[in-house]
């Protein structure tokens, strides 16, 4: 059974940091586009960052560039999102997604590219 499990969410003040983790199980892959999405109440789910696992190539939404860093753990079954200089507008449910077998992350912001999703972890940033 494929599972993506996010953790590391919480409540912080503006300017603070959080590190999200996505643990992948039940899935074996040599290449994938792994991504973090977020969804605030009343808003559409949007792509935050992606990483192509074979090349460690990363892409970011403009709103988080320079503040967030996506990375993968050794062994390839964990993806992280380091979030620094958090702002109230970063408040959302954060989801991990996997496009297994991908040859890159060219369409990484499209939700329908991803077959596997986690349940989400809540991030709340207060001013």
């Amino acid at each position: 059974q494929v599972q993506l499990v996010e953790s590391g969410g919480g409540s912080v003040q503006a300017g603070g940091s959080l590190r999200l983790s996505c643990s992948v199980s039940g899935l074996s892959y040599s290449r994938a586009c792994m991504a973090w999405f977020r969804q605030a109440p009343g808003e559409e789910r949007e792509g935050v960052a992606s990483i192509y696992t074979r090349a460690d190539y990363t892409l970011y939404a403009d709103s988080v560039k320079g503040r967030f860093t996506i990375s993968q753990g050794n062994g390839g079954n964990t993806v992280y999102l380091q979030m620094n200089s958090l702002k109230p507008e970063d408040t959302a449910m954060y989801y991990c997604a996997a496009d297994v077998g991908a040859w890159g992350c060219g369409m990484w912001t499209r939700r329908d590219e991803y077959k596997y999703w986690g349940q989400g972890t809540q991030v709340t940033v207060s001013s």
Side-chain angles (χ1 to χ4, degrees), residues 77-97:
N77 60 351
T78 308
V79 178
Y80 303 100
L81 186 67
Q82 177 67 43
M83 306 187 296
N84 299 328
S85 302
L86 282 161
K87 304 175 181 180
E89 51 263 45
D90 294 318
T91 295
M93 185 72 78
Y94 282 71
Y95 298 90
C96 178

Side-chain angles (χ1 to χ4, degrees), residues 41-62:
E43 302 289 332
E44 287 199 355
R45 194 171 297 190
E46 62 173 359
V48 174
S50 68
I51 184 167
Y52 181 52
T53 60
R54 178 167 277 191
D56 247 6
Y57 182 73
T58 59
L59 293 166
Y60 297 91
D62 287 344

Side-chain angles (χ1 to χ4, degrees), residues 30-41:
S30 60
R31 62 182 189 275
C33 179
M34 301 294 297
W36 287 94
F37 283 72
R38 67 185 181 187
Q39 188 169 18

Side-chain angles (χ1 to χ4, degrees), residues 15-35:
S17 298
L18 284 173
R19 189 193 198 203
L20 305 184
S21 298
C22 172
S23 177
V24 182
S25 61
L27 199 58
S28 178
Y29 54 88
S30 60
R31 62 182 189 275
C33 179
M34 301 294 297

